[in-house]
């Protein structure tokens, strides 16, 4: 893989500030930059740590933040925004991988392929991720905030206190949102709920 | 769940989970009041909350699972022959998806058409085998000619830089196998999947392609819209051959070859094998019917109908055992009709099975409609909406009873026997008219009516002589007993009358078939999509005399006064026969006025056709008995 040159801190910092001020098109530009950086970092972490080690999402996002954003010129609130978008991007990265996996496992379309040698992950893991992602989409349509709580916590690796900071709500609210959201997702994924 | 409901549920849930069990039940009951379904929803969610906590559901981070995925993808990328971004013929490689026995699979973009495809690059040892390549090529060609939404599309089979590749539709979804692992399917979902699989098979069989390897691993469900796709058409043979050490066999014995030589490798396949497949007999379309039957059985019960401790035991079961009826799995509440369909698909002798995928498809669709309708009735009756009563048929059918044929005469044309699936429809432009209820300047209503006819084919296990015929085409091979199902996408007034063969110099007799005291409670008004079955819970028995019978279907936007009167005749004493000569005349006049006849194409006989009236459709189904 080709190595990306370190993205320009200054540019990203500006984009982040613009987006925080409500400029949505800044996000479109920001997204791929952060995606690439997070993905690159994740792969680097994994190739160093190998199996048996978990990916520390928060550490990853923190590192990306430090690398991408010029610390001297950034407002504190932008950090929350950065975490929010990073959680979303981590979700995307993982789901992209999971989809590819689920697809490869079943043999890539019109023919059977035995993938024992290629697959080091059980398909169930990737499918579970995909299903959760789908259910989370439905949840966010009904209730965007609860959806975001799950995204920040599960995909972004943030704790309740940090989530409360990002969403600007109390920690109690985060806990309650989490309980409800998790119960609903559980119901969806296990098929134990009414339709 | 709509957002308001969600808010309601969440408000109660929030307070309820902090209470102990007893206080909680009381609190929830108090909050929900008479809204029983709200209470059920809240309680289910509370239960899910408790279980999710116990199981530590999504307590860990997604990245824990994701880490392994990232590593694995890195590995795949390192091993792949083609790199991301690389040009391969007219394709640009987007991603390596995996590798295996047959070759490597990539996600690629066809730059000519800007579409994403799954690109399979065959390994050298496969592409150097001339004979296999020949067959592979031939089959890819046939399979690519199958243009059916439930069959994976093959876009291209070709060669670039000495590498043979196959480009197919990329489906983002999961296999039925994974789907079944994840959740218990409802009967309705099972029927939906089975219907789509059979639609694919029907198209393939029409093109003389037998799949031979129908199993949950070869059925995919697209994530986006839950469309079912059948994989591996015509390619199964090629892959099976790989596991065989024998050198050459003709196509029909190939599955058996695989079984004999490497049972371990094809274990998954044995369970779905038909008796003829297991015995290396010649295979035809009916082997796919069997395998589909096994798959439905598995979806409903969660168990394989035939499964022994070893491959040989399984084969013995396939050849000899009758599986436990689905209706005995009480938790599933499988309808009797489904059991009938499955057991017919699993008849040991291909001759006793459904003879075509189409036949089985028809029965499954009919059952599905039935169930949808029942659900609809339950919904409307529980919410206190106006009463909708329709003819429902819960009595179990005798085995081997149905075959569907459609025969209709409409709109100055004769539509002769089509085997199935024809929606006969006709739009009638309702001109501006004060009596039309929709808002002024309402769009012109497209009037349509779907009906299909099922015909009894056997009685007491013996086939019948075909009594109903139509010049040029066989129509009804039946014991004069037919069933008609009618449905319209719009609500309207439906009248169905049977006109018997005219006796010399006598008035034709009319029997009111619908409405009747049992069918729709005597009301001709049918709801949109309401399924009307005629006759209800029995078969319409046609006169055994020679001659032409007609079944008149009149569907109107408004009640038809001439025919409204017939309601009073539809009583059990007269069995719907219009005995009053004056009434008979009114009905006859109406039907004559609203239809026309023109010379038939044989012996100057008259064909009843549709005269295009406004807001009214008149169909005459003619049944000839010679």
């Amino acid at each position: 893989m080709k190595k990306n040159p370190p993205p320009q801190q200054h540019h990203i910092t500006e984009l982040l500030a613009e987006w925080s001020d409500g400029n949505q098109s800044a996000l479109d530009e920001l997204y791929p930059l952060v995606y690439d950086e997070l993905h690159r970092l994740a792969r680097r972490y994994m190739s160093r740590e190998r199996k048996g080690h978990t990916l520390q999402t928060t550490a990853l996002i923190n590192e990306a933040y430090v690398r991408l954003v010029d610390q001297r010129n950034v407002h504190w609130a932008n950090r929350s925004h950065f975490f929010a978008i990073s959680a979303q991007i981590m979700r995307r990265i993982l789901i992209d991988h999971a989809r590819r996996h689920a697809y490869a496992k079943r043999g890539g379309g019109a023919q059977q392929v035995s993938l024992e040698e290629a697959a080091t992950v059980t398909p169930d893991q990737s499918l579970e991720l995909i299903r959760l992602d789908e259910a989370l989409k439905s949840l966010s349509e009904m209730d965007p905030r609860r959806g975001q709580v799950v995204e920040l916590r599960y995909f972004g690796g943030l704790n309740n206190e940090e989530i409360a900071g990002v969403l600007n709500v109390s920690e109690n609210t985060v806990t309650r949102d989490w309980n409800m959201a998790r119960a609903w997702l559980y119901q969806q994924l296990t098929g134990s709920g009414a339709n | 769940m709509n957002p308001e409901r969600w808010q309601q549920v969440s408000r109660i849930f929030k307070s309820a989970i902090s209470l102990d069990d007893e206080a909680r039940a009381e609190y929830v009951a108090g909050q929900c009041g008479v809204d029983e379904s709200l209470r059920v929803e809240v309680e289910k969610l509370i239960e899910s909350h408790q279980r999710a906590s116990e199981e530590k559901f999504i307590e860990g981070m997604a990245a824990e699972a994701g880490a392994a995925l990232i590593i694995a993808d890195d590995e795949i990328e390192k091993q792949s022959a083609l790199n991301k971004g690389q040009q391969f013929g007219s394709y640009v490689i987007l991603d390596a998806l995996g590798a295996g026995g047959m070759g490597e699979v990539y996600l690629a973009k066809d730059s000519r058409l800007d579409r994403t495809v799954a690109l399979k690059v065959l390994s050298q040892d496969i592409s150097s085998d001339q004979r296999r390549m020949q067959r592979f090529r031939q089959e890819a060609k046939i399979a690519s000619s199958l243009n059916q939404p439930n069959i994976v599309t093959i876009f291209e089979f070709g060669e670039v830089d000495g590498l043979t590749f196959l480009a197919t539709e990329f489906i983002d979804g999961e296999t039925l196998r994974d789907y079944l692992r994840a959740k218990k399917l409802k009967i309705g979902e099972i029927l939906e999947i089975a219907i789509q699989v059979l639609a694919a098979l029907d198209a393939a069989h029409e093109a003389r392609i037998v799949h031979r390897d129908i199993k949950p691993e070869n059925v995919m469900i697209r994530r986006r819209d839950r469309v079912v796709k059948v994989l591996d058409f015509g390619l199964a043979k090629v892959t099976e051959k790989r596991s065989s050490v024998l050198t050459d066999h003709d196509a029909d014995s190939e599955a058996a070859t695989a079984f004999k030589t490497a049972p371990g490798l094809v274990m998954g396949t044995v369970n779905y094998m038909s008796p003829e497949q297991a015995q290396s007999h010649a295979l035809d379309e009916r082997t796919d019917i069997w395998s589909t039957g096994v798959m439905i059985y598995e979806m409903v019960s969660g168990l394989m109908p035939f499964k022994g401790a070893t491959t040989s035991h399984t084969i013995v079961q396939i050849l000899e055992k009758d599986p436990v009826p689905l209706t005995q799995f009480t938790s599933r509440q499988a309808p009797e009709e489904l059991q009938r369909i499955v057991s017919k698909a699993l008849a040991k002798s291909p001759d006793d099975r459904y003879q075509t995928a189409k036949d089985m498809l028809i029965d499954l669709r009919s059952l599905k409609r039935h169930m949808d309708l029942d659900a609809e009735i339950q919904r409307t009756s529980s919410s206190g909406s106006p009463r909708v009563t329709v003819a429902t048929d819960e009595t179990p059918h005798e085995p081997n009873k149905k075959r569907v044929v459609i025969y209709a005469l409409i709109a100055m044309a004769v539509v002769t026997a089509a085997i199935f699936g024809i929606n006969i429809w006709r739009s009638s432009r309702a001109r501006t008219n004060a009596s039309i209820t929709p808002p002024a300047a309402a769009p012109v209503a497209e009037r349509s009516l779907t009906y299909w006819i099922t015909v009894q084919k056997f009685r007491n296990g013996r086939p019948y002589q075909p009594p109903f015929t139509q010049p040029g085409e066989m129509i009804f091979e039946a014991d004069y007993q037919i069933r008609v199902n009618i449905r319209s996408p719009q609500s309207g007034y439906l009248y169905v009358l049977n006109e018997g063969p005219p006796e010399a110099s006598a008035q034709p007799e009319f029997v009111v078939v619908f409405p009747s005291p049992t069918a729709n409670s005597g009301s001709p008004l049918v709801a949109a999509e309401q399924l009307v079955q005629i006759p209800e819970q029995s078969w319409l028995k046609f006169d055994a005399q020679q001659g032409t019978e007609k079944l008149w279907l009149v569907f109107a936007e408004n009640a038809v006064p001439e025919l409204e009167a017939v309601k009073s005749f539809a009583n059990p004493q007269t069995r719907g026969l219009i005995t009053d000569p004056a009434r008979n005349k009114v009905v006859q006049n109406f039907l004559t006025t609203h239809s026309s006849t023109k010379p038939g194409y044989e012996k100057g006989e008259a064909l009843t056709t549709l005269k295009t009236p406004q807001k009214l459709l008149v169909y005459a189904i003619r049944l000839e008995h010679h």
Side-chain angles (χ1 to χ4, degrees):
Chain A
M1 284 300 291
K2 60 178 189 287
K3 286 263 187 311
N4 289 330
Q8 295 153 344
Q9 277 195 352
H10 182 65
H11 185 48
I12 288 184
T13 312
E14 266 180 3
L15 286 172
L16 193 57
E18 276 178 42
W19 176 50
S20 301
D21 291 342
N23 178 358
Q24 283 304 307
S25 65
L27 179 62
D28 297 339
E29 216 178 314
L30 195 58
Y31 200 100
L33 295 173
V34 179
Y35 186 107
D36 285 351
E37 181 65 8
L38 278 175
H39 198 198
R40 196 182 65 77
L41 286 174
R43 292 166 70 134
R44 204 194 64 201
Y45 264 65
M46 290 323 303
S47 61
R48 208 167 47 201
E49 307 281 321
R50 302 311 304 172
K51 289 173 225 176
H53 289 259
T54 59
L55 195 57
Q56 292 295 321
T57 322
T58 28
L60 210 66
I61 296 176
N62 263 312
E63 186 175 343
Y65 183 71
V66 171
R67 291 172 52 84
L68 295 177
V69 180
D70 181 356
Q71 306 301 307
R72 290 157 306 179
N73 293 321
V74 69
H75 190 267
W76 170 247
N78 290 349
R79 190 181 147 86
S80 296
H81 277 96
F82 186 83
F83 272 81
I85 187 189
S86 296
Q88 197 184 337
I89 288 171
M90 276 312 294
R91 173 176 171 189
R92 176 77 76 85
I93 289 172
L94 293 174
I95 297 303
D96 283 352
H97 276 284
R99 279 181 191 268
R100 204 178 309 164
H101 248 275
Y103 187 80
K105 181 68 190 172
R106 86 180 78 92
Q111 56 281 307
Q112 297 278 298
V113 178
S114 94
L115 284 168
E116 284 86 38
E117 66 269 48
T120 54
V121 192
T122 66
D124 290 344
Q125 249 176 324
S126 48
L127 287 173
E128 265 163 31
L129 267 179
I130 295 167
R131 287 195 192 105
L132 181 76
D133 179 61
E134 296 286 317
L136 188 51
K137 273 184 208 155
S138 314
L139 174 65
S140 296
E141 273 165 29
M142 279 191 305
D143 191 331
R145 195 184 67 204
R146 287 198 174 92
Q148 214 183 349
V149 166
V150 175
E151 185 171 78
L152 289 167
R153 181 158 160 173
Y154 187 62
F155 289 98
L158 272 63
N159 62 33
N160 284 3
E161 188 187 344
E162 290 164 324
I163 295 169
V166 171
L167 297 179
N168 204 14
V169 295
S170 76
E171 236 183 288
N172 269 341
T173 303
V174 173
T175 309
R176 281 200 298 264
D177 281 357
W178 170 255
N179 280 334
M180 173 83 177
R182 184 175 65 160
W184 188 82
L185 289 170
Y186 180 87
Q187 192 166 295
Q188 295 301 306
L189 294 183
T190 55
S192 56
N195 272 9
Chain B
M1 211 186 289
N2 65 42
E4 293 85 58
R5 185 65 154 192
W6 170 258
Q7 289 307 330
Q8 220 178 348
V9 171
S10 104
R11 187 180 52 77
I12 302 168
F13 173 87
K14 197 161 65 182
S15 311
I17 57 168
S18 58
L19 302 169
D20 62 42
D21 288 355
E22 207 172 312
R24 179 188 304 130
E26 200 175 313
Y27 172 78
V28 172
Q31 290 291 312
C32 298
V34 293
D35 194 341
E36 184 64 12
S37 66
L38 178 64
R39 191 183 60 77
V40 171
E41 252 167 73
V42 172
E43 282 180 353
K44 273 194 172 154
L45 204 60
I46 291 170
E47 201 195 323
S48 292
H49 168 67
Q50 289 163 339
R51 281 206 236 148
S53 303
E54 281 163 24
E55 294 173 23
K56 299 200 183 319
F57 176 66
I58 62 173
E59 282 294 342
M61 301 302 151
E64 288 169 15
L69 293 172
I70 293 174
I71 296 175
D73 280 357
D74 259 2
E75 294 292 319
I76 290 174
E77 206 158 289
K78 279 178 202 149
Q79 291 165 8
S80 301
L82 303 175
N83 298 320
K84 215 181 269 190
Q86 187 179 335
Q87 192 82 27
F88 181 78
S90 55
Y91 299 92
V92 178
I93 305 298
L94 299 178
D95 242 322
L97 294 174
M102 295 279 291
E104 289 166 354
V105 188
Y106 298 91
L107 183 67
K109 178 153 254 168
D110 184 344
S111 46
R112 291 165 300 188
L113 295 160
D114 204 29
R115 83 182 151 199
T116 305
V117 304
L119 196 72
K120 170 94 201 172
V121 178
L122 301 185
S123 66
Q124 282 298 332
D125 62 324
I126 289 185
S127 46
S128 59
D129 181 338
Q130 285 301 318
R131 194 192 298 269
R132 271 178 86 179
M133 281 311 291
Q134 177 55 34
R135 185 182 291 161
F136 199 108
R137 193 172 291 121
Q138 190 187 331
E139 285 166 356
K141 198 172 154 192
I142 298 168
S144 65
S145 69
L146 293 175
N147 188 11
Q148 204 278 342
N150 302 114
I151 296 175
V152 174
T153 314
I154 295 182
F155 293 132
E156 193 182 4
F157 183 69
E159 211 182 286
V160 169
D161 302 335
L163 292 171
T164 309
F165 72 93
L166 184 73
T168 67
E169 180 185 2
F170 173 76
I171 301 153
D172 180 21
E174 50 191 280
T175 65
L176 178 56
R177 169 65 64 223
D178 290 324
Y179 213 63
L180 288 174
R181 273 196 205 112
K183 65 177 212 169
K184 202 168 179 181
L185 299 178
K186 297 190 180 67
I187 298 288
E189 292 174 286
I190 292 169
L191 291 177
E192 192 48 57
I193 292 167
I195 284 168
Q196 294 190 52
V197 167
L198 282 159
L201 289 175
D202 180 35
H205 293 174
E206 288 280 315
R208 297 171 168 277
I209 296 173
V210 182
H211 190 290
R212 303 152 190 254
D213 197 19
I214 291 292
K215 56 183 175 182
E217 287 79 2
N218 277 337
V219 173
M220 272 194 68
I221 296 151
R222 188 157 67 190
R223 205 179 313 283
R224 161 157 59 87
D225 50 12
R226 300 276 177 263
V227 165
V228 173
K229 298 272 182 178
V230 178
L231 310 180
D232 266 355
F233 263 103
L235 298 175
K237 285 186 274 183
V238 179
T239 44
E240 276 169 2
K241 183 121 187 190
R242 193 177 167 75
S243 57
S244 158
V245 289
L246 299 182
T247 48
D248 192 29
H249 281 266
D250 70 56
D252 284 340
S253 66
E254 218 166 274
T257 303
F259 157 62
K260 279 179 196 154
T261 54
L265 290 177
V266 287
M267 265 311 279
T269 320
V270 174
N271 290 327
Y272 300 87
M273 265 190 189
S274 63
E276 60 271 26
Q277 212 165 8
Q279 291 171 293
S280 332
H281 292 162
L283 296 183
D284 60 24
E285 291 85 345
R286 296 172 295 183
T287 188
D288 289 345
I289 302 276
W290 170 283
S291 305
T292 308
V294 175
M295 209 163 70
I296 298 174
Y297 189 98
E298 185 188 4
M299 284 195 276
V300 175
S301 69
L303 300 171
M304 298 304 306
F306 313 102
K307 188 151 179 68
T310 66
T311 304
S312 326
H313 286 93
T314 302
I315 300 277
V316 170
Q317 290 203 358
I318 289 171
L319 299 178
E320 290 169 6
K321 183 192 151 196
D322 281 329
V324 177
L326 289 173
T327 39
Q328 289 188 20
F329 296 90
T330 46
S331 66
R332 296 314 313 262
Q333 298 184 320
E336 288 271 353
E337 172 68 356
L338 184 59
Q339 167 56 28
R340 186 191 69 81
I341 294 170
V342 169
S343 76
K344 186 163 175 183
L346 295 180
K348 304 293 183 198
S349 159
D351 291 341
D352 294 336
R353 256 173 244 160
Y354 282 103
Q355 297 301 294
T356 65
K358 196 163 277 163
D359 286 351
M360 188 169 170
L361 181 62
I362 287 163
D363 279 3
L364 284 167
R365 277 197 179 133
S366 165
L367 173 62
K368 177 87 176 20
R369 284 194 196 99
H370 220 115
M371 291 183 61
D372 289 349
L373 196 70
D374 286 350
E376 181 61 32
I377 291 167
Q378 271 184 2
R379 217 175 7 252
T380 46
S381 61
S382 66
S383 65
S385 322
R387 173 186 51 86
V388 182
T389 313
V390 287
T392 55
D393 178 2
E394 294 306 331
T395 52
H397 296 281
E398 285 166 31
N400 298 333
K401 203 166 181 184
K402 289 199 284 182
R403 181 178 171 87
V404 175
V405 187
I406 286 184
Y407 174 43
L409 302 169
I410 59 161
M412 314 298 281
V414 182
V415 177
T416 48
I419 296 172
F420 172 74
I422 299 175
N423 288 349
I424 291 162
W425 61 272
R426 169 114 191 128
S427 67
S428 154
R429 305 213 152 226
R431 315 234 162 83
T432 316
N433 187 314
S435 67
I436 298 174
T437 41
V444 174
E446 178 106 326
R447 183 81 48 76
S448 72
L449 184 66
T450 305
Y451 62 93
W452 55 101
I453 301 169
T454 49
V455 181
Q456 183 174 6
K457 193 182 174 189
F458 293 93
R459 179 186 254 172
N460 302 330
R462 288 207 319 276
Y464 286 112
Q465 293 299 313
F468 294 115
T469 59
Q470 164 69 20
E473 301 257 5
M474 185 278 294
I475 311 278
F476 296 119
E477 33 180 336
D479 178 35
Y480 336 124
Q481 294 190 52
I482 69 163
R483 176 196 293 279
V484 186
N485 295 323
I486 302 163
R487 186 170 57 171
S488 161
Q490 298 148 63
S491 66
Y493 290 79
L494 176 72
Y495 308 86
V496 183
L497 298 109
N498 172 213
E499 181 185 337
E503 302 217 355
S505 74
Q507 284 280 12
E509 285 189 335
F510 289 97
V511 173
V512 182
V513 178
F514 183 91
S516 79
T518 46
N520 221 27
S521 301
S523 166
L525 182 60
V526 293
E529 299 294 342
Q530 178 179 336
L531 182 68
V532 172
Q533 297 196 320
I534 293 168
E536 190 198 24
Q537 299 188 348
S538 63
W539 293 77
L540 189 62
K541 183 147 180 151
F542 272 64
D543 209 311
Q545 295 178 54
Q546 293 220 345
T548 303
E549 296 239 359
K550 283 177 194 158
L551 194 65
W552 292 90
L553 310 181
V554 179
F555 183 73
E557 194 167 289
N558 299 309
V560 178
E562 294 92 331
L563 301 181
E564 278 293 280
V566 304
K567 281 195 289 184
S568 56
F569 300 100
N571 65 66
Q573 280 75 41
T574 63
R575 306 183 68 102
L577 179 69
I578 300 177
T579 47
D580 179 352
R583 297 278 193 200
N584 181 298
K585 193 77 196 154
V586 170
V587 169
Q588 197 192 351
N589 284 347
F590 174 85
L591 294 174
T592 316
T593 314
H594 291 91
S595 63
S596 63
T597 55
K598 75 182 190 90
Y601 47 81
E602 197 172 86
K603 293 182 289 185
E605 69 184 322
L607 298 178
T608 308
T609 58
L610 169 75
K611 201 169 174 178
T612 54
Q614 294 172 21
K615 300 184 290 173
L616 186 72
L617 293 176
V618 177
Y619 293 102
I621 300 171
R622 195 188 55 171
L623 312 159
E624 281 188 68
H625 176 213
H626 300 290

